[in-house]
């Protein structure tokens, strides 16, 4: 009896992620949900710029690599051209909440029927650990070497809270992948977000609080503990918006 | 036969795109192209298409990228400052081999510039429509009818070579009304795009639309392949109108709205006994270099006339390769050269000959 | 007059651009070459409006008219702006209800026609511009009355065909002035 296998919606390509990085877990959850909802065949995924830029090689569905921050606009173009396609973006914090803020907010307020998987690890990973829009106050990064000073560098953005004010957002939930219990919850959330799109309810976003051991300078385990101690108090987990019970207009 | 109607250039571009099978338009308001977007907003919902007013030109071009990735015909339009914002997406589309149509109804620059007609984006369109080694097809109509005709040709050519195409118009062509015949609506058989990312349905491998190649050798191989395609385009796709060029001693080179004025000047010069002619590039990239070269034997001198400080003249000089001199006459945005001015330049050239 | 190269100018809201469209459409129906080019941008917002209209047997080179052979002015700023650009021998038609001034040039034919007043007296409010077209027809013969009738039918939207009659009345008023 097979008790554990690779989801079908993941390719055989070996990922390039650092040891202890949680992208692998999140990729797997997305792929499992695609499998379980039979979405791969009609799915078009949009990869960001950032650590997960090469997600196009890892997901088995059709994929598009978008310019930095523009994934929600690219996804909008796909969905409008092919309304029957299942469309998701997979974006990091720099991509979604800094350079792509306008694209994110406007896709959300238009209620584009797409799903955004938002990986928040409070740092720019691919470029080597610079401050992200979600870096915590006093967090040390390459570009905040004395800690993020909110007086000069401003405050972190709480994306789920911000987007949940917009009428176009049908479902917004923040989850974490720091422990088995939370991983299971994260999968449930992603599946719910996908179902939201299938039901044509509007934009769904799952913010996944995750770790970056390499750029945080911590071991994988210590990184998860740092996540629990520092990120979760600032980014409380939970459902921020749920209009899935409402009738489709 | 379809009826001859009066239409604004901007509206004619929109209707022509619809006739060519475009059902997806993403735009952002800017003068002097706004009528195009307004026309799309009116028509698209009636024919099951998409009109979407994006949050910015940057977003609009990336929506175009997304729609083009699925294999459909898609369009965006803007004017000079907005095109600058679109260059990011244009580069990605060129790097991802995506066909799409971009309209630039040029206005004066740099910066916010002005809103009057201009031709100062020639360099941008032909030299650097985005970062990296790339070209886009650039078409330069000079009448509302030609705008219409070039739209479907631009789509076909973009599809054929898998690359973005641009129609480089200007505020005068966009705003003016002229009689135009737009072909009857008929379902056009569009080419199959087996590369499109539109859901593989387990009938093929997954398609990836991408411009990232981290291995330098891979990137170079792909860019070189693309440039081989560009060479084929240069050989086969250049378009040009030659007006009284056969025996011309004084050759004007001018495109778009300005070329109309030059045509009047050439006609007047001929009436006054000066052997003048006009070379009017219809494609700016590829530039009709061969037409320039063919005109050299009889020509004594060339004059490039543009609504800019002189941009296309670079391509004319490259084509002449030192064989003849080329002068320049032009105005910047909003000041449309008059036939009298151009005629006086021709006379100056002719008078300089003993 | 072989070619018509007209500048029509006035305030926004007087139907200047529409007046141009009517003239251009008549040329289209006459199977001639025509062009119509409006001034555009902030100028349009409540300020002056003007447009260039050309009708010719030959392809039109410059749709932007710089030296018109016809100027129709519906306000003083427009007259002042364009009067010196009119070709010698050209025609200047002025709505004298709105423009109190007389033209000083003696090398152009000037007609003062109280079009706005005529429109109001004849229950044709808002059709001063059409009255001026009628006057231009009578002076230049740029199109026949039959063509103009077809033109008016064309430019008036299908659901507003009841407006054809007052428009034609305005044309005739102008032509008979």
């Amino acid at each position: 009896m097979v008790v554990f296998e690779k989801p079908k919606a993941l390719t055989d390509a070996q990922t390039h992620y650092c040891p202890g990085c949680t992208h692998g877990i999140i990729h797997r959850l997305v792929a499992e949900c695609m499998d379980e909802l039979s979405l791969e065949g009609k799915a078009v995924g949009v990869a960001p710029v950032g650590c997960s830029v090469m997600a196009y090689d890892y997901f088995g569905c059709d994929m598009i690599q978008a310019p930095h921050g523009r994934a929600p606009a690219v996804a909008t173009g796909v969905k409008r051209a092919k309304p029957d396609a299942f469309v998701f973006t997979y974006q990091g914090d720099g991509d979604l909440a800094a350079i792509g803020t306008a694209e994110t907010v406007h896709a959300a307020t238009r209620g584009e029927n797409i799903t955004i998987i938002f990986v928040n690890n409070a740092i720019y990973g691919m470029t080597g650990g610079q401050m992200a829009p979600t870096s915590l106050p006093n967090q040390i990064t390459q570009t905040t070497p004395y800690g993020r000073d909110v007086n000069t560098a401003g405050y972190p953005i709480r994306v789920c809270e911000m987007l949940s004010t917009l009428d176009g957002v049908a479902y917004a939930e923040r989850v974490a992948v720091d422990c088995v219990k939370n991983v299971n919850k994260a999968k449930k959330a992603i599946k719910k977000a996908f179902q939201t799109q299938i039901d044509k309810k509007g934009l769904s976003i799952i913010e996944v609080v995750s770790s970056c051991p390499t750029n945080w300078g911590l071991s994988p385990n210590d990184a998860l503990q740092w996540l629990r101690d520092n990120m979760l108090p600032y980014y409380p987990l939970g459902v921020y918006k749920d209009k899935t019970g409402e009738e489709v207009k | 036969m379809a009826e001859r109607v009066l239409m604004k250039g901007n509206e004619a571009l929109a209707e022509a795109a619809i006739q060519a099978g475009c059902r997806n338009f993403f735009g952002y308001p800017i003068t002097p192209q706004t009528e195009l977007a307004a026309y799309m907003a009116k028509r698209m919902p009636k024919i099951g298409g998409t009109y979407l007013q994006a949050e910015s030109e940057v977003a609009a071009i990336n929506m175009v990228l997304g729609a083009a990735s699925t294999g459909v015909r898609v369009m965006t339009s803007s004017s000079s400052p907005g095109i600058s914002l679109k260059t990011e997406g244009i580069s990605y589309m060129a790097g991802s081999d995506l066909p799409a149509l971009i309209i630039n109804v040029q206005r004066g620059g740099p910066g916010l510039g002005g809103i009057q007609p201009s031709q100062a984006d020639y360099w941008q369109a032909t030299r650097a429509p985005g970062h990296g080694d790339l070209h886009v097809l650039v078409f330069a109509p000079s009448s509302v009818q030609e705008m219409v005709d070039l739209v479907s040709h631009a789509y076909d050519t973009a599809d054929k070579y898998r690359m973005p195409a641009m129609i480089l118009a200007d505020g005068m062509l966009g705003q003016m009304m002229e009689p135009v015949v737009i072909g009857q609506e008929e379902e056009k058989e569009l080419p199959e795009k087996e590369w499109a990312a539109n859901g593989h349905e387990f009938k093929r491998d997954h398609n990836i639309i991408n411009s990232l190649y981290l291995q330098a050798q891979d990137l170079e191989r792909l860019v070189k392949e693309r440039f081989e395609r560009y060479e084929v385009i240069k050989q086969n796709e250049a378009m040009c109108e030659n007006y009284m060029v056969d025996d011309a001693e004084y050759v004007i080179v001018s495109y778009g709205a300005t070329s109309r004025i030059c045509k009047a000047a050439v006609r007047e010069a001929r009436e006054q006994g000066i052997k003048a002619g006009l070379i009017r590039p219809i494609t700016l990239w590829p530039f009709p270099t061969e037409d320039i070269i063919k005109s050299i034997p009889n020509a004594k001198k060339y004059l490039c006339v543009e609504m800019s400080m002189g941009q296309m003249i670079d391509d004319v000089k490259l084509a002449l390769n030192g064989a003849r001199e080329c002068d320049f006459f032009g105005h910047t945005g909003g000041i449309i050269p008059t036939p009298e001015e151009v005629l006086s330049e021709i006379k100056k050239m002719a008078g300089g000959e003993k | 007059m072989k070619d018509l190269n007209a500048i029509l100018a006035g305030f926004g809201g007087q139907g200047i651009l529409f007046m141009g469209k009517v003239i251009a459409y008549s040329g289209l129906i006459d199977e001639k070459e025509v062009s119509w080019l409006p001034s555009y941008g902030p100028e349009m917002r409540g300020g002056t409006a003007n447009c260039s209209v050309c009708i010719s047997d030959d392809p039109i080179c410059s749709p932007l008219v710089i030296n018109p052979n016809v100027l129709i002015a519906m306000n003083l700023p427009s007259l002042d702006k364009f009067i010196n650009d009119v070709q010698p021998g050209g025609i200047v038609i002025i709505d004298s209800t709105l423009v109190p001034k007389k033209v000083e040039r003696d090398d152009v034919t000037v007609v003062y026609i109280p079009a706005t007043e005529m429109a109001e007296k004849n229950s044709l409010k808002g059709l001063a511009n059409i009255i001026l077209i009628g006057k231009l027809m009578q002076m230049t013969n740029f199109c026949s009355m039959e063509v103009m009738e077809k033109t008016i039918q064309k430019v008036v939207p299908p659901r507003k065909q009841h407006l054809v009659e007052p428009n034609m009345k305005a044309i005739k008023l102008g032509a008979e002035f």
Side-chain angles (χ1 to χ4, degrees):
Chain A
M1 193 180 84
V2 178
V3 291
F4 189 81
E5 60 184 339
K6 184 177 71 66
K8 291 194 175 58
L10 283 182
T11 64
D12 290 331
Q14 193 178 342
T15 69
H16 67 290
Y17 297 116
C18 302
C21 172
T22 45
H23 268 306
I25 299 171
I26 304 163
H27 277 31
R28 182 183 174 91
L29 298 181
V30 169
E32 283 179 359
C33 291
M34 274 203 272
D35 284 355
E36 289 167 25
L37 294 168
S38 303
L39 293 171
E40 184 192 336
K42 58 175 186 167
V44 179
V46 184
V49 171
C51 279
S52 49
V53 62
M54 284 194 288
Y56 56 78
D57 269 340
Y58 308 145
F59 289 113
C61 57
D62 281 356
M63 292 294 295
I64 301 169
Q65 199 288 306
H68 201 16
R70 318 300 176 216
V74 171
T76 297
V78 174
K79 192 73 179 185
R80 295 299 183 108
K82 299 282 173 193
D84 294 334
F86 173 78
V87 184
F88 70 95
T89 70
Y90 188 105
Q91 302 175 257
D93 41 49
D95 192 84
L96 180 139
I99 192 167
T101 312
E103 285 77 5
T104 304
V105 167
H106 285 272
T109 199
R110 286 192 303 268
E112 293 295 340
N113 194 33
I114 59 173
T115 303
I116 295 175
I117 306 297
F118 167 40
V119 179
N120 177 6
N121 61 7
I123 205 152
Y124 280 74
M126 192 174 76
T127 44
Q130 295 81 23
M131 182 188 76
T134 52
S135 291
L136 297 174
N138 302 316
Q139 186 180 335
I140 290 173
T141 72
Q142 194 187 57
T143 49
T144 52
Y146 313 110
R148 180 176 186 161
D149 179 353
V150 294
N151 293 309
T152 55
Y155 294 89
I157 294 176
R158 294 184 179 96
V159 170
C160 273
E161 288 86 333
M162 179 175 77
L163 293 185
S164 63
T165 67
L166 301 172
D167 290 343
V169 176
Y171 193 76
E173 181 174 352
R174 183 181 291 125
V175 297
V177 284
D178 62 311
C179 61
V180 174
K181 190 178 119 228
N182 279 344
V183 169
N184 286 335
K185 273 190 178 173
K187 180 173 170 185
K188 244 178 101 180
I190 291 169
K191 204 164 171 181
K192 173 128 188 174
F194 283 7
Q195 191 62 47
T196 303
Q197 181 180 160
I198 294 166
D199 296 340
K200 300 186 166 50
K201 302 274 183 179
L203 186 126
S204 47
I205 176 167
I206 304 301
E207 175 175 345
V208 187
V209 179
S210 45
S211 64
C212 182
T214 300
N215 287 302
W216 289 359
L218 297 170
S219 73
N221 266 332
D222 289 350
L224 294 175
Q225 193 55 47
W226 192 88
L227 179 160
R228 284 187 281 269
D229 293 344
N230 298 281
M231 288 189 70
L232 295 188
Y234 207 92
Y235 299 111
L237 305 184
V239 177
Y240 285 86
K241 185 79 173 278
D242 186 356
K243 290 203 321 186
T244 57
E246 294 176 19
E247 284 300 306
V248 182
K249 284 194 294 285
Chain B
M1 211 193 93
E3 198 190 352
R4 194 164 168 254
V5 292
L6 266 191
M7 240 177 157
K8 266 196 170 193
N10 284 333
E11 295 176 341
L13 283 169
E15 182 57 33
I18 290 169
Q19 300 290 338
C22 169
R23 290 294 179 277
N24 292 274
F25 178 88
F26 303 96
Y28 186 84
I30 184 169
T31 305
Q33 65 77 52
T34 305
E35 294 83 1
L36 201 169
Y39 190 91
M40 288 297 198
K42 211 166 154 185
R43 281 277 276 142
M44 282 300 192
K46 308 245 175 196
I47 53 173
T50 293
Y51 164 83
L52 200 160
Q53 182 169 321
E55 59 271 27
S56 67
E57 284 94 346
V58 174
I61 193 71
N62 282 287
M63 291 171 188
V64 168
L65 188 158
S69 297
T70 71
V72 302
R73 287 196 163 175
V74 54
M75 181 194 233
T76 186
S77 69
S78 192
S79 178
S80 311
I83 297 294
S84 292
L85 287 170
K86 289 186 195 291
T87 55
E88 176 195 63
I90 293 172
S91 171
Y92 276 72
M93 283 198 288
S96 307
D97 299 310
L98 289 174
L101 184 55
I102 300 133
I103 308 289
N104 182 0
V105 183
Q106 295 171 91
R107 58 188 254 183
L112 208 43
I115 57 167
Q116 299 303 322
S118 155
Q119 296 181 316
D121 300 346
Y122 181 94
W123 280 335
Q124 184 190 51
T126 61
R127 298 296 194 277
H131 62 279
D133 276 320
L134 70 100
H135 283 295
V136 301
L137 299 157
V138 185
F139 298 92
S142 70
S143 69
V144 177
Q145 184 66 56
E146 196 173 35
M147 285 167 117
V148 166
D149 299 341
L150 285 177
V151 164
S152 99
H153 179 69
Y155 268 122
D156 291 344
T157 316
D159 278 346
K160 183 173 171 188
Y161 296 101
R162 282 189 64 182
M163 62 192 290
M166 178 183 281
I167 290 189
L168 194 66
D170 62 66
M172 187 168 103
L173 290 167
Q175 292 293 323
M176 69 186 283
M177 285 206 302
E178 273 188 322
V180 64
V181 177
I182 301 186
Q184 297 289 46
E185 208 158 341
E186 56 183 68
E187 277 308 307
K188 209 173 167 181
E189 194 79 25
L190 297 182
E192 189 64 34
K193 292 170 179 169
E194 72 285 346
W195 48 261
N198 51 7
H200 57 54
E201 299 290 1
F202 302 100
K203 288 173 187 154
R204 55 165 169 76
D205 282 348
H206 74 146
N207 281 338
I208 299 171
I209 305 294
N210 175 41
S211 62
L212 176 69
Y213 295 92
L214 289 175
Q215 300 303 318
Q217 287 81 1
D218 292 346
L219 180 63
E220 184 174 79
R221 182 175 53 75
L222 276 158
V223 173
K224 281 188 166 171
E225 274 175 24
R226 205 169 286 129
F227 269 69
E228 282 166 21
R229 219 184 316 151
Y230 292 164
E231 275 310 310
V232 175
I233 295 168
K234 283 188 193 172
Q235 297 302 318
N236 298 307
E237 304 295 344
M239 294 166 71
C240 185
E241 180 193 357
N242 291 297
Y243 180 73
M244 299 189 173
V245 175
D246 282 350
D247 63 340
E249 293 177 350
Y250 303 98
V251 179
I252 313 286
V253 189
S254 184
Y255 72 97
T258 312
S259 67
R260 301 166 66 116
I261 284 111
C262 293
K263 209 177 229 182
V266 163
R267 216 178 291 154
E268 184 57 34
R270 286 272 172 175
E271 274 174 28
Q272 297 186 18
I274 302 170
K275 284 187 177 172
L278 169 70
I279 293 181
R280 177 174 76 87
I282 298 170
T283 51
L284 302 182
W285 193 91
F287 189 76
T289 303
E290 285 306 313
D291 291 86
I292 303 276
I293 292 171
K294 265 186 239 156
S295 70
I296 291 174
N298 286 325
K300 290 182 176 159
K301 208 171 181 186
Y302 287 74
L303 174 71
C304 199
V305 183
E306 304 174 54
M307 257 189 288
S308 74
M309 291 303 287
Q311 300 191 4
M312 184 176 70
I313 188 171
D314 289 357
D315 280 330
V316 178
K317 284 183 172 173
L318 281 170
L320 291 172
N321 198 18
R324 297 289 184 275
E325 272 180 56
C326 182
D327 287 346
F328 177 76
F329 176 73
H331 287 297
T332 60
I335 306 173
I336 299 167
T338 64
E340 292 72 28
E341 282 178 314
V342 179
L343 180 63
S344 128
E345 292 295 317
I346 296 174
K347 282 182 174 167
K348 239 188 267 171
M349 279 201 298
E353 289 291 325
K354 289 279 173 281
Chain C
M1 186 173 291
K2 188 173 167 282
D3 294 340
L4 180 79
N5 290 304
I7 290 180
L8 322 175
F11 287 122
Q14 285 180 317
I16 296 291
L17 301 186
F18 184 75
M19 174 163 50
K21 276 186 200 180
V22 172
I23 296 171
Y25 252 108
S26 74
L28 179 85
I29 288 168
D30 253 345
E31 295 185 349
K32 293 186 176 176
E33 300 290 340
V34 303
S35 69
W36 171 93
L37 179 70
S39 58
Y40 60 86
E43 261 193 320
M44 277 163 63
R45 323 269 178 256
T48 60
N50 71 75
C51 66
S52 298
V53 180
C54 305
I55 302 179
S56 175
D57 292 327
D58 301 316
I60 287 150
C61 285
S62 181
L64 178 71
V65 176
I66 292 161
N67 296 116
N69 54 16
V70 167
L71 169 65
I72 300 182
M74 290 188 76
N75 68 10
L76 183 59
S78 300
L79 181 65
D80 287 342
K81 185 173 175 183
F82 294 112
I83 185 64
N84 290 325
D85 298 331
V86 179
Q87 289 175 17
I91 292 170
V92 180
I93 302 177
I94 295 169
D95 185 338
S96 56
T97 313
L98 304 171
V99 182
K101 198 170 161 178
K102 299 285 171 203
V103 172
E104 285 168 18
R105 282 180 65 172
D106 53 11
D107 59 344
V108 291
T109 308
V110 186
V111 179
Y112 302 91
I113 166 169
T116 297
E117 193 189 317
M118 287 162 72
E120 279 176 22
K121 276 189 183 158
N122 290 279
S123 310
L124 298 170
K125 203 167 173 355
L127 294 182
N129 54 344
I130 307 297
I131 293 174
L132 293 170
I133 294 175
K135 185 66 203 166
L136 180 65
M137 278 173 73
Q138 180 252 324
M139 293 183 75
T140 64
N141 256 326
F142 74 89
C143 82
S144 66
M145 201 52 86
E146 294 75 55
V147 166
M148 184 50 68
E149 187 138 18
K150 277 189 204 165
T151 302
I152 296 287
Q153 281 163 5
K154 177 108 192 158
V155 296
V156 171
R159 60 179 192 287
K160 290 189 182 169
Q161 283 295 309
H162 62 279
L163 295 177
V164 170
E165 198 218 314
N167 272 280
M168 282 312 293
K169 195 176 158 194
I171 290 280
K172 282 168 190 156
L173 259 180
E176 285 156 13
F177 176 80

